[in-house]
Amino acid sequence: MTTITQDPKFAGMLPKTFLHGYASASYQVEGGYQQDDRGPSNWDEALKDMINGNEADNSYNMWRDDIELLGHPTRLVASGGKNDPVNQKGLDYYSSLIDGLLAANITPFITLTHFDTPLELEKRYNGWLATGEKAELFFQDFENYGRLLFKTYGDRVKHWITINGPHVYTLLSAAFLKKATFNTEVDMWKQGNNLMMGHARVVDVYRQEFYPTQHGMIGISLNCDWAEPIDGSAEAKAASIQVNDVILGWFADPIFLGKHNATIQRIAGSALDDFTPADWKLIHGSSDFFGLKHYGTKYCTGKIPTEPNLMVLFFGRVEQVVEDLQGKPIGRKGHGGHPYNVPWGFRKILNIVHNRWTSASVTGKAIPIYITENGWSSENESQRTFEEIINDTEREEYYAGYIEAMLRAIKEDGILVQGYLAWSLLE
């Protein structure tokens, strides 16, 4: 079989500045949850009696080995507040990790928060659902946390992500982290607004205080799978558009276009608070790049579920299926259906991002796209033998197809993609 690297039509098409590597998340890989004065996060509390990340991959102690094979907020400020003490051991750990990466000629691409919040800030303010004066204090704490990272590591780190997947983070709050108190029809919009404001405010800190000397880039990473109309009906086409409006447009439209889209306004109604003119000024244009997390594709039938669950509410409020009208699966099924292997859907979502948010014709200046997550999980992989696991043909097939789809989007569709990070390094 000819691999992508052997295919002459793709030879030399990526510049030397193209970033390619692997993504990870601190809670999911570090472990060492009681080492060196680390404070608890919301996930430590939520998963304390379940399978959890207390040990994870033990990367906190084995990071040097991890680099050869190729951040967490409570590790740095245990309680998370701007007036709370800084954990020097945590700062030293990440500093050593950054130096180790650079010594191995690996470019660090750092995310400030990946689904987790210091537990103390949940108790003080209700985290990303804070309101009124508490919300302002929470934003100030987040700004100060960013300021600490930029000041400490910005001489060496030039690529920053503020928040990973605010859409998924809000879903996790509704489904698990704040399940007992989360009012979906109100709180999802409230938390979404707060995540956008927190992102925009910490970006403003970087641009005003650090960019003039550090010259890095900073942005946000948004998740979206592709929703393909199952047929040519107006209903299926409209459903596909609605999925993109709800999942991706919810955050991308305010950040890149400076407005909420009509679908979000219609669905949220009076529950969607408008931003002040000053807030809009911070939010609009607050990302130097478009970070995209993408895994798979489903079909939209055009039907509206009569009893929608959380997944339906958060993922477009329309029916999505994984078989066409003849009963043929849309692609190879991953574990639990996440994802289905559909490379052509990746190319389509890249075109949507380009045409709607990042092309020079839309924004006046071409905005680069970075793929910050893309990966495969084989069905029941944990139950397979070691020999079966390392015979990893399904994952090879997935990456070959998706990387080729990206390359075609770059070469044939003229889309500016400047980096690709596979999910994940260790999981």
Side-chain angles (χ1 to χ4, degrees):
M1 182 180 75
T2 301
T3 65
I4 295 172
T5 56
Q6 296 168 328
D7 194 329
K9 65 176 172 289
F10 298 123
M13 64 172 296
L14 294 178
K16 291 182 178 180
T17 54
F18 188 91
L19 295 181
H20 56 93
Y22 302 91
S24 66
S26 58
Y27 179 78
Q28 293 160 254
V29 301
E30 282 183 9
Y33 78 113
Q34 290 184 327
Q35 284 184 247
D36 293 340
D37 302 321
R38 175 191 179 275
S41 78
N42 51 348
W43 286 104
D44 292 307
E45 177 67 17
L47 298 178
K48 62 183 179 182
D49 298 320
M50 306 179 190
I51 296 174
N52 54 49
N54 289 358
E55 300 303 325
D57 295 310
N58 197 24
S59 187
Y60 185 69
N61 296 298
M62 299 180 66
W63 61 269
R64 294 176 181 83
D65 301 278
D66 297 339
I67 291 175
E68 288 181 7
L69 291 173
L70 289 152
H72 197 290
T74 59
R75 186 78 68 185
L76 302 174
V77 184
S79 296
K82 66 186 181 72
N83 296 318
D84 293 321
V86 172
N87 179 8
Q88 189 60 47
K89 293 178 181 178
L91 286 176
D92 292 344
Y93 163 72
Y94 286 112
S95 186
S96 297
L97 176 58
I98 290 166
D99 287 343
L101 290 169
L102 293 171
N105 201 30
I106 298 171
T107 300
F109 208 132
I110 291 183
T111 301
L112 272 63
T113 182
H114 185 124
F115 302 160
D116 47 9
T117 306
L119 183 60
E120 180 59 30
L121 299 191
E122 291 286 351
K123 295 177 179 178
R124 289 181 193 174
Y125 313 127
N126 201 20
W128 289 103
L129 272 178
T131 59
E133 182 181 347
K134 288 186 176 180
E136 176 58 30
L137 292 172
F138 182 81
F139 292 145
Q140 290 179 16
D141 287 347
F142 191 56
E143 288 174 325
N144 195 67
Y145 165 61
R147 187 176 285 112
L148 173 66
L149 268 63
F150 304 146
K151 180 180 179 180
T152 307
Y153 308 127
D155 60 328
R156 293 160 287 166
V157 175
K158 306 302 176 184
H159 299 81
W160 299 94
I161 296 172
T162 56
I163 296 170
N164 172 78
H167 169 267
V168 173
Y169 195 6
T170 306
L171 170 63
L172 290 171
S173 294
F176 189 69
L177 291 168
K178 298 178 182 288
K179 183 178 180 179
T181 60
F182 200 95
N183 180 346
T184 302
E185 294 296 355
V186 175
D187 290 342
M188 67 182 294
W189 312 114
K190 183 188 302 181
Q191 180 162 322
N193 274 8
N194 280 352
L195 285 160
M196 280 187 272
M197 275 307 304
H199 152 76
R201 287 180 58 156
V202 81
V203 167
D204 191 57
V205 167
Y206 183 78
R207 288 176 173 173
Q208 297 297 327
E209 301 178 24
F210 297 94
Y211 177 79
T213 57
Q214 296 179 359
H215 305 293
M217 58 168 41
I218 188 167
I220 195 167
S221 181
L222 306 176
N223 64 281
C224 195
D225 287 352
W226 177 244
E228 175 75 3
I230 199 167
D231 56 26
S233 68
E235 292 81 4
K237 292 178 180 178
S240 174
I241 293 171
Q242 180 162 311
V243 169
N244 287 313
D245 280 350
V246 172
I247 301 176
L248 203 51
W250 179 8
F251 297 94
D253 281 329
I255 290 170
F256 294 95
L257 303 182
K259 62 181 181 180
H260 290 297
N261 66 60
T263 301
I264 290 294
Q265 294 183 62
R266 172 177 55 81
I267 291 174
S270 60
L272 181 66
D273 293 330
D274 197 7
F275 295 112
T276 67
D279 291 342
W280 275 117
K281 187 175 180 180
L282 283 180
I283 292 168
H284 185 202
S286 59
S287 195
D288 297 330
F289 55 85
F290 195 113
L292 178 65
K293 296 150 48 88
H294 172 85
Y295 287 88
T297 293
K298 293 181 179 179
Y299 290 118
C300 283
T301 65
K303 298 177 182 178
I304 307 299
T306 56
E307 297 182 5
N309 56 30
L310 276 179
M311 294 298 288
V312 171
L313 291 175
F314 274 87
F315 285 86
R317 306 190 177 215
V318 297
E319 182 181 72
Q320 297 185 56
V321 298
V322 294
E323 294 180 348
D324 66 16
L325 295 176
Q326 287 72 47
K328 179 182 178 181
I330 196 168
R332 183 192 293 275
K333 181 184 178 184
H335 185 69
H338 179 68
Y340 278 79
N341 185 350
V342 190
W344 52 261
F346 186 30
R347 185 174 178 180
K348 287 195 172 187
I349 196 70
L350 285 171
N351 272 271
I352 288 293
V353 170
H354 171 75
N355 293 326
R356 183 165 169 177
W357 294 294
T358 68
S359 71
S361 63
V362 174
T363 63
K365 177 184 177 182
I367 297 172
I369 300 169
Y370 286 87
I371 309 307
T372 59
E373 287 186 27
N374 179 239
W376 173 258
S377 177
S378 297
E379 187 80 74
N380 299 318
E381 191 168 21
S382 64
Q383 301 173 22
R384 300 182 184 185
T385 66
F386 178 75
E387 289 73 19
E388 289 172 332
I389 290 172
I390 62 174
N391 185 28
D392 204 8
T393 55
E394 290 182 16
R395 192 167 276 106
E396 290 176 1
E397 176 189 84
Y398 178 92
Y399 281 124
Y402 276 69
I403 292 172
E404 179 174 340
M406 178 188 69
L407 293 175
R408 289 187 180 279
I410 295 170
K411 183 176 182 178
E412 299 171 14
D413 305 332
I415 297 174
L416 182 62
V417 182
Q418 291 190 342
Y420 175 92
L421 305 180
W423 184 267
S424 70
L425 175 63
L426 293 173
E427 295 173 74

